[in-house]
């Protein structure tokens, strides 16, 4: 009999889920995936099978909108009806912040939940929703083991220079340090790249994870050695609504002008980035389609900063052997990749226009000094693999 693993990636208003079947050998295989969107307003449940065929949809009235326990209980019942003899052995969650002490996934306990609660201020856009889903699932199914897979874990063994801010040492010791995020995505890419390009071996790779949250990572020999995100998922690249790297003097200026922490947090997390610069949208597609000069400036700033960080991460590794694009924008936006590629001509990047337009796996020309890849990320698969390992030791 086979085992099944439920994978959950909970966001502010949506809960993405996948069910993996584990036959014991090879990677677990996804059988269904979907999401509950509109949590808090008008929840809608959608699911697809492995061939992307729609399986179900359901919506709820506003009265049940915020009851995550009831929504998860519905989801669990729905999944259990479709297990076809498999045993659901665990739920694996993406938990964005694991703090200093977690360099690997772990089985969730009430004591660990308290520890992870303390990290909510460090990831206000993600952590509360990750933990709410874990609590709701524990309430609906107390017997089901749950595993936390941290977005910070892959970066925890970076060299100390990459993890340290130049601030008084006591603060570093207290945990005010650079953590880095999107680790599950980078770990997946580090695992996948050698299958796609075995000749790269233990090489130096810059990976750009460009989704609604965006960051970049320097991976040397399969390990993270530097990343653009820091103490929080606000640092580094500008994102859909987040500012990215900013002179801390700006925060002092805003505080002196009378803004409190809550107002600054809201502005930097929710009103900045592509949305703040364009004044139009946080969605790259809308901006690329717009002729508004502010929309064009937002796109230009995004691409400029990706190119600039590529330089910084290349210096961190003493060179670079490949560049990889992944996540929503990275996997699907040929115009963004073209612009970044043009700005990296000095590194020997030459983008093949036709391959780029087709979102091909390799988008650089045969003559390009730096090979450039597009690799779809799969954070869910990484979570399923980690969850299986924690539960079964395999
Ligand atoms: N064809 C496309 N061209 C440009 N941007 C796209 C395209 N498809 C998706 N995106 C962008 O990808 C973003 C979502 O990326 P994704 O990795 O799914 O984010 P997340 O998992 O963080 O929600 C959207 O905000 C959208 O701007
Ligand atoms: C860490 C982070 O920014 O995640 P996301 O891209 O899902 O917002
Ligand atoms: Mg994402």
């Amino acid at each position: 009999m086979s085992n099944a693993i439920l994978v959950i990636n909970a966001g502010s208003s949506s809960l993405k889920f996948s069910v993996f079947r584990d036959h014991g050998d090879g990677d677990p295989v996804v059988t269904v995936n979907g999401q509950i969107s509109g949590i808090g307003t008008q929840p809608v449940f959608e699911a697809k099978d492995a061939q992307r065929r729609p399986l179900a949809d359901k919506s709820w009235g506003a009265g049940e909108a915020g009851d995550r326990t009831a929504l998860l209980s519905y989801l669990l019942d729905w999944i259990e009806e479709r297990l076809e003899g498999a045993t659901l052995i665990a739920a694996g969650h993406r938990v964005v912040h694991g703090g200093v002490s977690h360099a690997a996934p772990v089985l969730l306990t009430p004591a660990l939940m308290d520890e992870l609660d303390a990290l909510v201020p460090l990831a206000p856009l993600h952590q509360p929703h990750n933990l709410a889903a874990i609590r709701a699932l524990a309430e609906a199914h107390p017997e089901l083991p749950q595993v936390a897979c941290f977005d910070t874990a892959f970066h925890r063994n970076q060299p100390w220079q990459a993890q340290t801010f130049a601030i008084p040492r006591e603060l570093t010791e207290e945990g005010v340090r650079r953590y880095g995020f999107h680790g599950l995505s980078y770990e997946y890419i580090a695992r996948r790249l050698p299958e796609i390009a075995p000749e790269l071996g233990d090489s130096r790779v810059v990976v750009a994870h460009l989704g609604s949250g965006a960051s970049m990572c320097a991976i040397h020999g399969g390990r993270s050695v530097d990343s653009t995100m820091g103490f929080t998922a606000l640092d580094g690249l500008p994102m859909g609504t987040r500012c990215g790297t900013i002179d801390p003097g700006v925060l002092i200026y805003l505080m002196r002008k009378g803004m409190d922490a809550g107002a600054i947090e809201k502005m930097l997390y929710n009103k900045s980035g592509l949305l703040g610069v364009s004044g139009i949208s946080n969605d790259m597609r809308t901006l690329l389609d717009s002729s508004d000069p502010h929309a064009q400036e937002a796109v230009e700033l995004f691409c400029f900063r990706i190119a600039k960080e590529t330089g910084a991460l290349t210096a961190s590794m003493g060179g670079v052997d490949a560049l990889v694009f992944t996540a929503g924008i990275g996997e699907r936006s040929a115009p963004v990749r073209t612009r970044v590629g043009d700005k990296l001509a000095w590194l020997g990047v030459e983008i093949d226009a036709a391959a780029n337009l087709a979102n091909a796996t390799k988008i650089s020309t045969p003559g390009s000094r730096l090979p450039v890849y597009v690799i779809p990320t799969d954070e869910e698969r990484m979570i399923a693999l980690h969850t299986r390992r924690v539960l079964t030791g395999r």
Side-chain angles (χ1 to χ4, degrees), residues 9 14 16 94 126 182 209-214 240 242 274 281-286 288 326-336 359 377 379-380:
N9 185 349
S14 75
K16 295 182 188 153
R94 174 180 179 224
H126 303 86
H182 292 135
H209 175 112
L210 313 176
S212 55
R242 287 173 251 168
L274 297 175
S281 172
N282 62 340
D283 194 313
M284 184 54 81
R285 287 163 291 198
T286 310
L288 287 167
T326 193
I329 301 170
E331 290 165 25
R332 290 189 276 273
S333 184
V336 166
N359 299 321
T377 196
E379 291 155 301
E380 286 72 26

Side-chain angles (χ1 to χ4, degrees), residues 365-388:
T365 62
S368 182
R369 242 187 315 125
L370 189 67
V372 184
Y373 297 89
V374 174
I375 304 180
T377 196
D378 197 345
E379 291 155 301
E380 286 72 26
R381 176 176 302 274
M382 227 42 249
I383 295 171
L385 285 163
H386 284 312
T387 303
R388 177 175 74 178

